[in-house]
Amino acid sequence: MRHLTARVLSLALLLPPVSVASFASCSSDDETETIVDNNNGGSDNKDDENNNSGGDNGKDDEPSLFSGIDEELKAQNTPDGWTSVSLPQLPSITSANTFYITDFGAVADAADNTAAIQKALDAVPDEGGMVVIPAGTWMFGSKQTSTTEVLGIKSKTVLHLCAGATLKLLPYGEAPNTKMIFIGCKNRKQTDIVIEGEGETSVIDGQGARWWLARENGETFNPGAMIRFEQGSRYLIRDIKIQNTPGVNITISNSGKASHATIHDVIISEPASEAGAGKASHNTDGVSIWGPYVNIYDCSISNGDDNVVCDNDAQYIHVWNCFFGTGHGASIGSYTKNITHVIFDNITMEGTTAGVRLKTGINSDGSLRGGGEKDFTFSNFTMTNVKNPFSMDCFYDKKYAKDPQDDLDNPRKFDSTTPTYDGILLKNVKTTDVCSGSAIFLVGRPESHIKNVTLDNVQISAKKGIDIRFVDNLVFKNGSKISASSGSIWVKKFESTVYGNCGATE
């Protein structure tokens, strides 16, 4: 949160002029005409030109609502050889295509504004426009006519939360408890959508405490994601705070049907899952990714499940310059089919249960959730008070035999659902204290070993040492050092090959 605030301040000081004629205020009264030229959809390749059609209009000192996507174009940071993530393609935003929810009957602090907000969203023409949520608290969450989402956003729409605006979900018992998405694409499939705020006082609040208690009490607990883009492409979420979400905060895609999403300067905040009865949050993943081409940067995420997680079909995923607090770490799985080309870089962790965490689950029918996992990089991590810095579990969750010989004697037949992890790199990763769990815990499968895991300048101190089973070619290089404060550094090394001196000390 500290580095996020600093970035917001620095951007406020350094933003160059953009093609914006500003609204006088973030309210529906006395607007002046606003024109934003935003014909910047991103490029298909990082070397292509991103043309900025805007120019200086002489009103740069006035406040503005939608500022275009110039900064996102500059910040893309596309890795070598990857296709750039495309950004939303939107029309010029003017007073004629900007709609305030108050003009459709929304009233601050009213019991429920869902219908009025949806009317404003529906008023956006097919050519596109913006819906504005002014300062104040705006309740939403009652089921309307849609069977797929509570608030449905059309293509080419900007949903803008002003400073001091809180979009608050109705409480448990009033909001849908049937996996219905709370904010998403209208009728599931839309494209070119922006959800944005003006910083950490632009808030989406899920009132999750009663939901989490329901789960602990065995009551119905089926919350949908707070924001989910299921089918389509080119999405942007920026400059907002999401807190107390009943379940998953942000989900990108469904079975690979949505792609090209950018998320930055977003704060996500829920209690840890380990906070104790009546205090913990449950299944509150920060960002869950099920499709290709996603950039996440300059975010602060603390929650009760995976901070950022890649699931089936997540490919070309780049996460950088983020702070992870409570949560279950930089994660892969437990649905891991066709996950490839994932980079987490420059991640600071504090109080996170897991650091780097990869896991493939087992379905109730005995089938697995994997196949085709390759090319993962986790670089420049600093971990403080992280229980388990590096773990992989191909028997998730801990369904391996106590004695790995039993697993070796009873391999499962290799099929299309078997995980095939290959190419995992940890580089410049360090812990700043002694972790309370295992330094390294890697469990492959007897019929499909984890292959080619490289630790390059990795410094880990933990209570327990290294436990590896069914791992081929674990390499320690460039001064990597693993220390265990209790017991042997090698807790277990079974059917595995290791190269390099890890500088292990007892």
Side-chain angles (χ1 to χ4, degrees), residues 134-145:
T137 298
W138 311 90
M139 304 299 298
F140 84 103
S142 59
K143 185 176 179 180
Q144 302 294 306
T145 57

Side-chain angles (χ1 to χ4, degrees), residues 416-429:
S416 62
T417 72
T418 305
T420 55
Y421 285 99
D422 189 352
I424 299 98
L425 170 64
L426 274 67
K427 184 174 183 178
N428 302 331
V429 174

Side-chain angles (χ1 to χ4, degrees), residues 300-315:
S300 175
I301 303 174
S302 299
N303 58 2
D305 211 314
D306 297 320
N307 298 78
V308 173
V309 57
C310 297
D311 282 291
N312 289 353
D313 302 306
Q315 300 180 5

Side-chain angles (χ1 to χ4, degrees), residues 49 61 170 176 252 326 382 441 457 475 481:
E49 274 295 317
D61 57 337
L170 292 175
I252 303 298
T326 61
T382 300
F441 184 82
N457 186 30
V475 176
K481 183 176 181 180

